Amino acid sequence: MTSYALFLGCTIPARQPHYEASARKALTRLGIGLVDLDNMTCCAPPPLQSIDMETSLAIAAHNICLAEEADLDIVTLCTGCFESLAMANNLLKENSKLKARVNKILSNAGEEFKGTKEVKHYLKVLMDDVGLERLKKSVVKDLSSLKVASFSGCHLLRPSALLKFDDPERPHIFDDLIEALGAKSIWYRNKLKCCGGLLRGYADDVALAIARDKIVNTTKAGADCIVTLCPFCFLTLDLGQMLIKSAYKEEYNIPVIHYAELLSLALGIDPKELALDFHKIRLDKVLSKIT
Amino acid sequence: MEHKKEQKTSATSFSDEIRSQLGGETITLCYQCGTCASSCPVAKTTERYNPRDIIRLSLLGEKQEVLSGGAIWLCSSCYNCQERCPQKVEIADVIYALRNIAIKEGHIPNIYSEFATGLMNEGRIVPTSKFVEKKRPEYGLPPLRPAGLDAMKKILAATGFDKIQWKKEGTP
Ligand code: SF4
Ligand code: SF4
């Protein structure tokens, strides 16, 4: 069994226990070991990079140091955490000057970034340690009538030079993993476009207009649901539909579901164990198509 | 003549300042083709934002307009432009560099002050919820591990972050 240090980040434990529960249960069932380490902190995502990039790199490196000490690679659920940590990890591995600069900061906390570990998004773990074939064989439910609009979020793919996850313009890994569950991953307009989530709190009107575009395009394409990987994208599109309803007087009610939840359901995990009440848009339409 | 020379000096000094910031190194490679603006989801949505204009104004040395005009905070960090720039300008990273400079000069949007405060107090920018935390066992989740506040505080002191975070928008 391969084990990883599970990096939860801030948003998932604070607001999305449905994501955490589904991810833990599905990954464990597929034979992935998850280790909870003490003293992880915020991943230092874009809002902190915006304040001070040097501090952000040091905080990201602090989290990676903890995994290095435990001799484990990191797995993240949140796409934002993946970006922050993988970007810092790869940047510091490639740039010895920057690494020395960050290590000077870390020495104040008695830590040293060595660059010996990987940061992986859980989709990569599924690809590497389970594989599409075994995943297909583990599915016990029929999802063949489910049409999904996949939305990976920007930071699974970009900046591709540092994240090296998939082709940034024609990605396929996420869709392959959806189809391995038996569901159909459909095309929709502007699929790779941002959801605007990071602008919430600074320019809510702009953020909502961008989110609405995603909701309109996935609805027009006839999707039964939107499948996400990132807690921010989830919030932007799920709670976002409530905000769209009051700002635009438009009602879409398209369910938004994390891939880990869809995976759990496909593996036959009881929906009652998945804290699905935390969804603003009800999942009935999706659940009725999983038989 | 005198006037022109002065302008050139301020332009060079601002682009030098940006280039010396982490992420800002590639700004001078820009040849203003506009690929970034046409790839940008925010520029497509609002006239308040255009990444090419931000780069142009920065290279012209319009420091005050760039740092206090508010536009730099409208980038959603999606990196679409950066993937496509024919000159390999790391545009999203340049925007980060501009934000870093703006913050050092006291232009901090309130929401960013809140993030910084959350980080200082809890080690997380999204504070934990007592309600959700209590329910964890119900969902079969193990107790939440403590955040490494000790290490965090030492890091924030070493970079000087703990000194910038209290400034709020518009106040010195
Ligand atoms: S795409 Fe690159 S070269 Fe073209 S305007 Fe934008 S930053 Fe400049
Ligand atoms: S990273 Fe910023 S400037 Fe570039 S396309 Fe995205 S929102 Fe626009």
Side-chain angles (χ1 to χ4, degrees):
Chain A
M1 182 171 86
T2 323
S3 286
Y4 292 88
L6 174 64
F7 189 86
L8 281 178
C10 306
T11 313
I12 293 172
R15 296 192 184 173
Q16 298 186 19
H18 52 103
Y19 194 178
E20 188 179 340
S22 60
R24 281 189 192 269
K25 285 169 194 177
L27 291 174
T28 312
R29 187 169 289 202
L30 291 167
I32 313 280
L34 300 172
V35 180
D36 290 278
L37 296 179
D38 282 344
N39 294 327
M40 295 277 197
T41 62
C42 169
C43 68
L48 289 183
Q49 294 164 30
S50 299
I51 298 175
D52 188 44
M53 188 59 84
E54 185 185 49
T55 306
S56 294
L57 287 173
I59 292 175
H62 153 77
N63 288 305
I64 300 167
C65 286
L66 295 174
E68 287 181 351
E69 252 165 62
D71 196 18
L72 292 166
D73 287 333
I74 290 177
V75 61
T76 75
L77 309 180
C78 170
T79 311
C81 297
F82 168 68
E83 190 229 18
S84 317
L85 297 179
M87 201 167 72
N89 199 34
N90 293 336
L91 201 60
L92 297 177
K93 279 185 189 180
E94 285 168 15
N95 184 334
S96 55
K97 254 198 191 152
L98 196 57
K99 182 173 145 185
R101 183 166 157 190
V102 165
N103 270 333
K104 201 168 159 223
I105 300 167
L106 289 179
S107 67
N108 291 283
E111 291 173 343
E112 185 194 353
F113 172 88
K114 298 195 181 67
T116 51
K117 291 293 160 198
E118 293 296 317
V119 175
K120 292 184 178 187
H121 189 272
Y122 77 98
L123 291 195
K124 179 94 170 88
V125 167
L126 288 174
M127 291 301 279
D128 291 353
D129 299 331
V130 182
L132 292 174
E133 287 317 307
R134 187 152 80 79
L135 191 59
K136 276 181 201 162
K137 285 191 193 120
S138 313
V139 170
V140 300
K141 294 280 182 179
D142 181 5
L143 278 70
S144 59
S145 64
L146 195 66
K147 283 188 292 178
V148 318
S150 71
F151 178 53
S152 68
C154 301
H155 295 156
L156 183 70
L157 304 170
R158 303 185 292 264
S160 62
L162 283 172
L163 301 184
K164 303 178 175 89
F165 180 83
D166 201 347
D167 184 319
E169 302 281 358
R170 289 171 188 277
H172 62 90
I173 293 173
F174 186 22
D175 299 292
D176 292 350
L177 282 164
I178 288 171
E179 303 228 318
L181 306 182
K184 171 118 188 68
S185 183
I186 63 167
W187 180 89
Y188 61 92
R189 196 166 175 266
N190 288 338
K191 182 166 172 167
L192 298 181
K193 194 174 136 187
C194 179
C195 71
L198 275 174
L199 295 179
R200 294 185 52 214
Y202 180 73
D204 289 334
D205 57 332
V206 181
L208 201 60
I210 298 175
R212 178 179 170 273
D213 206 38
K214 181 96 16 212
I215 298 292
V216 168
N217 289 332
T218 49
T219 303
K220 272 193 188 150
D224 295 314
C225 62
I226 302 172
V227 181
T228 49
L229 298 170
C230 170
F232 291 98
C233 301
F234 176 87
L235 207 70
T236 303
L237 300 175
D238 182 58
L239 173 73
Q241 290 182 62
M242 304 287 150
L243 306 174
I244 290 168
K245 193 171 153 187
S246 57
Y248 291 86
K249 313 283 172 253
E250 293 170 354
E251 210 165 330
Y252 294 94
N253 287 322
I254 180 166
V256 186
I257 184 168
H258 282 304
Y259 179 77
E261 297 177 286
L262 198 64
L263 173 63
S264 295
L265 294 168
L267 295 177
I269 295 171
D270 187 345
K272 285 195 207 77
E273 282 185 42
L274 298 175
L276 300 178
D277 295 352
F278 278 80
H279 288 248
K280 294 277 185 256
I281 307 291
R282 293 184 59 88
L283 289 181
D284 304 1
K285 248 200 286 191
V286 177
L287 295 174
S288 69
K289 288 198 169 188
I290 298 177
T291 53
Chain B
M1 272 316 269
E2 259 319 285
H3 182 64
K4 251 192 187 159
K5 200 172 156 201
E6 223 170 74
Q7 261 190 353
K8 188 165 182 296
T9 316
S10 71
T12 324
S13 72
F14 190 39
S15 55
D16 283 351
E17 185 180 1
I18 298 164
R19 276 165 59 200
S20 70
Q21 282 283 319
L22 281 174
E25 301 87 349
T26 56
I27 187 167
T28 45
L29 297 172
C30 173
Y31 58 26
Q32 288 290 301
C33 68
T35 305
C36 51
S38 60
S39 311
C40 176
V42 183
K44 278 196 183 131
T45 308
T46 172
E47 284 176 0
R48 279 140 63 195
Y49 185 73
N50 181 318
R52 176 178 64 174
D53 288 351
I54 290 181
I55 298 206
R56 184 173 51 84
L57 287 170
S58 302
L59 291 174
L60 287 172
E62 299 292 344
K63 184 168 174 174
Q64 276 325 306
E65 185 175 345
V66 172
L67 297 186
S68 59
I72 53 171
W73 302 98
L74 282 167
C75 168
S76 73
S77 309
C78 77
Y79 283 96
N80 217 23
C81 54
Q82 192 153 324
E83 294 290 342
R84 295 179 182 172
C85 170
Q87 281 293 91
K88 299 206 175 350
V89 177
E90 294 172 342
I91 305 147
D93 298 332
V94 167
I95 304 281
Y96 282 136
L98 290 168
R99 289 176 176 178
N100 285 190
I101 297 172
I103 288 212
K104 284 202 190 84
E105 306 221 342
H107 308 288
I108 305 184
N110 290 334
I111 183 85
Y112 287 84
S113 284
E114 284 168 28
F115 290 139
T117 311
L119 186 77
M120 290 288 290
N121 295 343
E122 279 207 50
R124 307 176 202 265
I125 62 167
V126 179
T128 49
S129 141
K130 287 281 159 272
F131 171 75
V132 175
E133 221 177 321
K134 257 199 227 128
K135 287 190 146 222
R136 289 179 67 86
E138 243 177 74
Y139 311 130
L141 298 173
L144 198 56
R145 298 297 171 114
L149 264 183
D150 238 29
M152 164 81 66
K153 287 198 167 149
K154 286 173 186 155
I155 290 168
L156 298 186
T159 62
F161 183 101
D162 54 352
K163 302 201 178 54
I164 49 177
Q165 58 107 14
W166 300 111
K167 290 184 197 165
K168 288 232 170 167
E169 199 168 38
T171 56

